[in-house]
Structure formats: C-alpha cells, structure tokens
Amino acid sequence: MTSMRSGFRIAGAAAAAVALLTSCGRPSGRIGDTAAEAALKVYVPPGQYDEFYAFLSGGFDGQVGVYGLPSGRLLRHVPVFSQNPENGWGYTEQTKPMMNTSFGFVPWDDAHHPQLSQTDGVPDGRWLFINGNNTPRIARLDLTRFETEEILEIPNSAGNHASPFVTPDNEYVVAATRFSVPTPQRDVPIADYKKDFAGLLTFARVDSATGHMAIAFQIRMPGFDYDLSHAGKGPSNGWSFFTSYNSEQAHTLLEVNASQNDKDYIAAVNWKQAEQCVAAGKGRMEPARYAHNVMGDDGIARTEWGTSVRVIQPADCAGLVYFLPTPKSPHGVDVDPTGEYIVSGGKLATVIPVHSFSKMLAAIQARSFAGEVAGIPVLKYESILNCEVQNPGLGPLHDEFDDKGNAYTSMFISSEIVKWRVKDCQVLDHAPVFYSIGHLMVPGGDSRKPYGKYMLALNKITKDRYLPTGPELAQSAQLFDISGDRMKLLLDFPTIGEPHYAQALPASVIKDRQQKIYTLEKNADPFATKAEKDTRVVRKGGRVDVYMTAIRSHFVPDNIEGLQVGDSVYFHVTNLEQDWDVPHGFAAMGATNAELLIMPGQTRTLVWVPVRVGVYPFYCTDFCSALHQEMQGYARVSERGSPVPLAWNGPSGSLGKAKPVAMSH
Ligand code: RUQ
Ligand code: CUA
C-alpha cells in the first residue's frame, strides 16, 4: 500500500489540521500533485546534476551539509567547528590550530546559520559563513574547495546565535550575543544581572579580496537576549536589525519571567553611523583575548591572538541604535527583497508584525519616540507598522521571501508554513509540515533576488516520517514547490545533525569554479615530499619525522624500522597525484586519533605514538585503484632504547641492506 494517495488535492486553506491521513493513519502531507507528478519534479536522472546547491547547518554536529536540490541528495559533509576523523580535520597538525580559542582547543560547536557571501545583495558563491553558538565563533568556508578557511572567535559574547548575517556587499558579518554576560568577564553575583550584564553586538569586517574577517567594533547594549538578525538592503542598506527577548532582564526561570512584557524589541543599528563614530574616535579600546585562525596558502592553519576590541556605547554615538517595539519575545527578523519591510516572528504573538523602513526613518526624523531604554530611543509601534498578519497560525519563527512579493513564515506550534503577501499582510495559503518547523529556506530567499521555485522546511521533530532508528530519528527536511499559487509538498529527505538555517543558490554560480587539485609544485608545507627520491625518516630525540609519499598504488617508504615505544612519529604524507578526485588515505594500526585523507598535491600530518612493541601495518583507506589493497606498509616498534637502527626502504632508504643510512642522533 503506497503511503501517498494519488491525485489528492485539498481545496481549502485550512491550517495545521490539514494533515492527510493515509489508510494506515499516518499523515502524508498535502501532495498537491499526484505522487508521480511530485516524483518527476524532484527526480534527477542518473548522470545529471541538481539545479541548486543547498547548504544546511548541522546544528549540534558543528558542520555543514551540502545537498543538491531538488533531489535532496547529500553531496558533502564539510567539517567546520567539529573534528572529523573521516579526513583528519582538527586531528592533523595542519588543521589543529583551526580549533584554537581563548578557552583552549575546542573541537566542537553548535552551528546554526549558514550565510552565503553576497555582491550587491545577491549570493555570489564565493564564501559561506556560519556561526559557532557555544564558544562564540564565525567560520568562513571557501566554495571553490568546500573547506573551512577561517574561524574568528568573538570576545565579550556568549551564545553567538544572532550570527553571521551578512551585509549586502559582505562589508560585515554580525555576531550578537544571545546571553548577556558581564563584559569584560568578571566574578559577580548572578543576582546583579541588571547592573552588571550587557549584550554586545559585534561587527566583523570582511576583506573583499580575501574574505578575511577582522572585528571592527562592538556595541554595548542593555542586558537582553539578542536572538537573530538580518541586514537591510536597497533603501535600508546600511542598517542591521537584531531581535531581542528578555527585555525584562530576568536571570532565572526565563520561560515565565522573560514572557511578561507585551512587546520586546528589534534593535535597528545604523552601521554606517557606527563607521562615522569610529572615524571620529568614538568608542574605547578594551582589552579582549580572542583567537583568529586562518588556513594559510601553504595549507597550514595558524592562530593570531587578538588583544583588544573597540566598544561603542550607544549613548556616545547619536543615531546609532533605535528600538522597534515588537510583540512578543520575537525570534527571527527578516528583511524583504525590496528592503522596505522588516518582518519578525514573535514566538508568543498572535500576529506577524511588518515594520516599514520608510516609516521608521520618518518616525526618527519626527522624533516620535515612546521613550528610551538605556539611552536608546524607543519608536512608537503604530508609527512604524506597515501591517500585521492576523491569525497566521501559532508560533511564528522565521520568514523567507519569493520573487513575487510573498513571504513564507514557519509556525512552530501549529506545524505549518503560512504564505502571505508582504505589502498588505493578506494570508494566501497554509501548508502543514511534519513536524514543528524551525527555519525555512527559499533559494536566495533572504537576499535581494530570491530565486523562488522551491522552499525547504527544516523540521525539528520527525516522529513517523522515516523508518525508525531507535530513540533518535533522522531529522526531516521537506521540499515544496512554490512556483504556483499553492505550496505543494514534493519530497521528504533526511539530514545529518540538526539543521537550523540553510542557504541555497543555483549550481551554475559555483560548479565551474571548483578547484580540482592542489598543485604539487606550489606545495609550501615544510614537511612536503615532492618526489619519491626525497622520502626519508629523521629522528630527533623522541620525535621521528617520516617524509612519505603516496601515489597509486604505494607509499614510500613502506617499511620503517627503528621506531621505539613512546616515540612521537609524525607521518607527513604527500599525495603526489595531480588528477581530480584521487585522494589517498593513511591509517596506522594503534593510532588513537584519526586517519588522513590527503588530496592530490597536498601534505597532511598525523602523529602516532606507538604504545607497544610489535610490527604494525599502515594502509591507504581510500579505494584508489585496482591495487588499492596492495597500498600498505609496516612500521616496526622496538623497546625504548633498543639498538635497532632507524631505517626505511624506498629510493633513498636501505632497509634490509647491510648498511642502514639513517641512525638515531
Ligand atoms: S534558530 S534555535 Cu536560527 Cu530559529 Cu537557532
Ligand atoms: Cu591509495 Cu587506496
């Protein structure tokens, strides 16, 4: 019995209750077409490509999942904040520094919001930024290599949730603290929250040529929780908007104590004004220690330590920040493609408020303020409101936009998406999702130029969508066709981690820019070995450096003797291949960390500390040729202080010959 009913069509615009029941009692969703029609829309025939790249955050797995749309096929899992033993990310000597922070080596984070770099407000396919929530960081991925290239720690922050939303030409990526904390950190009673805690908004400058980030300034705001952000565009270019909740400034039992106020705020920040204040010498340099980790052109990551940041007080920079009252504990804040409308999702609100940017400017001009908080003017709700979407559903969280003037809002509590017209707040359609949607994503849907066509629901609860897999079920993404008047569910597909936000853009923007190999000649790793004749093994005290090469289908050297228990053996493996898609792997028995996956032309280093005497194999883990299984070798480990000489075979070694060429120093 098929679980989708053919030819089903629901005419009414009923809300969450419109879950269709199949004969076995499972909701299948509104299939706007027949199952066969839906299948054809997502079917990518063998040998053909998907139309869009989609980048889904991994949430608590700390990584980025790259999927093709409309098929939902997983193309790559790019490690960012979390160590990844699959390819040695965060285990190799070259990549370990990427995880340095002021707290030490932190090999995990909670990644929520991927953001594609933009040119003129449109995703340009150069970089992908993503936030680390727990130990505040922003990472930048290079989309010619699908690798993490930079991680910047954000000081004075705690819970980097409202991050890393980009301005229309990547002038800045932002990072606002979800949890207010004492800044600088110090030992104070938690009960002194209102007096001592502040919430900082960080603006990190992005170098337009290299993408390198640098903290430009921070703004010290009242001790609220800052939740999400989006930048203005078009007429509102120059502003960034941040939601806040807990304007009550509660420090305990927030579920009750932070839900008292009828309205909290969107903070509208004029970053061009901030630039002028900085140029005029406003703000103060404050000491702050933070890590800035950059992957060098030589493939080696290095950490530079920041020692101070410029902090601006809103009171010292007139016109920098305004508060827009917004019902009620707002979560997402989204700016429509025209840049005129600012939409927020008040988790506990019964309406979706749409603020007007031009009305906001007029209200500022007229100084039509309802009061002020900590020196920040509060505008009047009525004077900035364009319209409210009435009775949209329950629990509005996030909005994305299409290319026809419509918005799509995720409703967490009523498990649905509501489509409505931005200019007059008219509800046009409802579609149930399965279940409890968080973010949603339209390709380009937070940019100046949404591509429309598809929408992806990123759901928190899966329950009955897939074959069960014990207590933890696969997360579900659901793809909709939004090209017509009604939203049509096309496909469910499982994701890895727990995706929060996502971004997507046409494959044509990046697919022909892919780097295929690392040029061996340009390999500047000091431990690179560019020819088999240069392979060697060098001992310095308890450290042994193995300069090894890999090419189909052998390692040089493939036999090593004279290692001793407790040595730190550095396997520096250079892949001599210069062909696309020919990595070699390297794994050593008894290694307690990871394997290496070495791209053509690249050098990667793994440290192995043998703990017992014996002869241990190492081998290539990536099925690289018909003789892949022959790509193996042995390392002989002797007692500490053993007279067995250090020796190896291969072009420059002479293992097993009369005279070993290299001895312990
Ligand atoms: S979110 S909980 Cu972007 Cu709605 Cu992180
Ligand atoms: Cu190299 Cu398998």
Side-chain angles (χ1 to χ4, degrees):
M1 165 98 9
T2 147
S3 65
M4 289 176 175
R5 297 262 197 98
S6 294
F8 236 104
R9 179 173 285 278
I10 294 293
V18 188
L20 296 191
L21 295 185
T22 62
S23 50
C24 54
R26 273 190 330 109
S28 68
R30 183 182 66 208
I31 306 296
D33 300 317
T34 66
E37 282 167 346
L40 273 179
K41 286 185 179 167
V42 301
Y43 181 65
V44 178
Q48 293 190 23
Y49 295 145
D50 276 292
E51 189 180 347
F52 291 92
Y53 282 101
F55 301 90
L56 278 59
S57 69
F60 44 64
D61 89 349
Q63 319 287 48
V64 168
V66 184
Y67 298 77
L69 295 182
S71 72
R73 295 182 294 194
L74 174 65
L75 304 175
R76 180 134 299 280
H77 188 215
V78 183
V80 184
F81 297 110
S82 298
Q83 282 178 302
N84 188 21
E86 176 194 2
N87 57 4
W89 178 254
Y91 291 97
T92 63
E93 295 306 294
Q94 289 86 353
T95 57
K96 274 182 350 199
M98 293 304 282
M99 282 151 203
N100 286 340
T101 75
S102 63
F103 298 92
F105 180 78
V106 180
W108 169 83
D109 217 310
D110 179 19
H112 282 216
H113 304 121
Q115 276 278 289
L116 287 163
S117 58
Q118 299 185 352
T119 298
D120 194 19
V122 179
D124 60 17
R126 300 177 74 192
W127 307 304
L128 184 81
F129 300 93
I130 187 163
N131 63 324
N133 205 10
N134 186 54
T135 304
R137 287 175 280 182
I138 298 175
R140 181 176 54 83
L141 279 63
D142 176 285
L143 294 182
T144 64
R145 294 182 289 115
F146 286 69
E147 283 179 8
T148 304
E149 217 172 44
E150 182 176 10
I151 297 182
L152 174 67
E153 187 181 3
I154 310 295
N156 286 329
S157 193
N160 181 34
H161 193 257
S163 179
F165 301 92
V166 296
T167 56
D169 280 297
N170 312 316
E171 293 94 340
Y172 297 99
V173 286
V174 303
T177 196
R178 169 163 161 223
F179 310 108
S180 282
V181 286
T183 60
Q185 276 288 9
R186 56 195 184 276
D187 177 13
V188 296
I190 298 167
D192 289 351
Y193 185 100
K194 286 190 182 168
K195 177 161 75 71
D196 284 334
F197 288 43
L200 273 73
L201 312 180
T202 302
F203 284 72
R205 185 98 205 161
V206 179
D207 183 286
S208 59
T210 63
H212 288 182
M213 299 177 281
I215 295 175
F217 55 87
Q218 297 188 311
I219 304 171
R220 181 169 277 119
M221 298 283 287
F224 306 160
D225 290 49
Y226 296 88
D227 208 10
L228 278 157
S229 176
H230 262 103
K233 48 174 91 80
S236 54
N237 187 4
W239 293 75
S240 282
F241 303 92
F242 298 86
T243 46
S244 68
Y245 62 99
N246 192 22
S247 56
E248 297 85 350
Q249 302 197 51
H251 60 271
T252 178
L253 282 178
L254 262 64
E255 66 173 324
V256 176
N257 293 332
S259 303
Q260 301 299 311
N261 293 348
D262 189 44
K263 296 200 173 56
D264 296 277
Y265 303 111
I266 290 172
V269 175
N270 184 338
W271 54 259
K272 292 202 170 151
Q273 183 62 29
E275 288 176 340
Q276 292 189 7
C277 288
V278 169
K282 298 282 171 59
R284 229 176 27 143
M285 294 308 290
E286 296 185 8
R289 182 174 155 78
Y290 59 96
H292 183 199
N293 311 319
V294 180
M295 182 62 73
D297 291 338
D298 52 6
I300 300 172
R302 293 179 184 80
T303 301
E304 283 179 14
W305 292 97
T307 55
S308 63
V309 278
R310 180 175 297 277
V311 180
I312 309 174
Q313 314 284 346
D316 297 340
C317 178
L320 175 63
V321 192
Y322 298 90
F323 277 140
L324 319 184
T326 301
K328 168 162 189 156
S329 300
H331 184 56
V333 55
D334 301 289
V335 180
D336 88 310
T338 69
E340 164 63 9
Y341 299 113
I342 302 144
V343 185
S344 174
K347 303 177 290 259
L348 306 176
T350 53
V351 299
I352 302 169
V354 180
H355 298 308
S356 151
F357 179 74
S358 52
K359 286 189 180 179
M360 180 194 102
L361 285 189
I364 292 170
Q365 199 76 40
R367 306 191 61 79
S368 153
F369 301 142
E372 59 169 54
V373 173
I376 297 167
V378 178
L379 298 169
K380 292 192 184 125
Y381 182 65
E382 299 70 27
S383 65
I384 54 174
L385 189 72
N386 176 58
C387 53
E388 289 175 338
V389 183
Q390 299 292 330
N391 301 314
L394 298 175
L397 290 184
H398 299 283
D399 319 281
E400 289 272 292
F401 304 91
D402 67 14
D403 50 345
K404 302 184 191 81
N406 303 308
Y408 301 81
T409 302
S410 54
M411 312 299 282
F412 179 82
I413 298 173
S414 53
S415 274
E416 61 182 320
I417 295 171
V418 55
K419 174 181 177 181
W420 50 278
R421 200 157 50 215
V422 177
K423 69 171 193 294
D424 59 6
C425 288
Q426 282 312 303
V427 171
L428 302 173
D429 192 19
H430 290 265
V433 293
F434 304 91
Y435 304 87
S436 301
I437 182 174
H439 281 269
L440 72 179
M441 182 275 288
V442 171
D446 68 340
S447 77
R448 216 171 48 69
K449 209 181 112 202
Y451 301 95
K453 192 157 182 177
Y454 298 114
M455 173 175 64
L456 194 63
L458 298 155
N459 303 324
K460 299 301 182 191
I461 311 231
T462 314
K463 280 185 184 144
D464 49 17
R465 301 306 284 184
Y466 305 115
L467 287 174
T469 52
E472 189 187 6
L473 301 174
Q475 309 287 335
S476 85
Q478 296 191 292
L479 187 74
F480 288 81
D481 176 351
I482 57 167
S483 58
D485 290 341
R486 313 285 316 273
M487 298 174 268
K488 292 177 187 169
L489 178 60
L490 300 176
L491 178 73
D492 285 11
F493 65 91
T495 60
I496 35 181
E498 187 205 44
H500 287 254
Y501 197 28
Q503 298 263 277
L505 83 179
S508 57
V509 179
I510 43 184
K511 87 174 168 31
D512 299 325
R513 298 187 197 165
Q514 294 304 302
Q515 181 173 329
K516 296 188 170 70
I517 58 165
Y518 292 88
T519 308
L520 186 62
E521 276 163 40
K522 292 195 195 145
N523 182 331
D525 189 302
F527 295 100
T529 311
K530 297 190 188 176
E532 291 184 348
K533 67 176 174 37
D534 299 325
T535 56
R536 62 204 185 275
V537 182
V538 179
R539 173 185 285 283
K540 282 201 184 98
R543 170 176 172 143
V544 177
D545 287 295
V546 179
Y547 295 78
M548 183 182 275
T549 58
I551 193 164
R552 282 164 287 181
S553 300
H554 56 273
F555 294 107
V556 181
D558 72 350
N559 282 191
I560 303 166
E561 293 194 349
L563 304 176
Q564 297 180 3
V565 170
D567 278 341
S568 293
V569 182
Y570 286 70
F571 287 103
H572 310 285
V573 187
T574 300
N575 180 348
L576 300 178
E577 308 278 355
Q578 291 288 272
D579 280 345
W580 197 11
D581 198 29
V582 192
H584 290 287
F586 177 86
M589 181 180 173
T592 55
N593 39 24
E595 69 152 344
L596 296 174
L597 202 59
I598 313 127
M599 298 305 127
Q602 198 181 39
T603 302
R604 284 293 176 251
T605 300
L606 200 72
V607 180
W608 178 61
V609 181
V611 295
R612 293 200 292 270
V613 299
V615 179
Y616 299 101
F618 52 84
Y619 71 102
C620 172
T621 53
D622 188 311
F623 208 113
C624 51
S625 69
L627 296 175
H628 154 80
Q629 285 298 79
E630 281 69 15
M631 197 162 172
Q632 64 165 56
Y634 287 105
R636 174 182 171 191
V637 176
S638 305
E639 286 298 358
R640 192 104 219 115
S642 151
V644 174
L646 188 68
W648 64 94
N649 65 358
S652 65
S654 57
L655 182 88
K657 304 242 171 80
K659 204 173 65 149
V661 292
M663 299 293 297
S664 316
H665 303 254

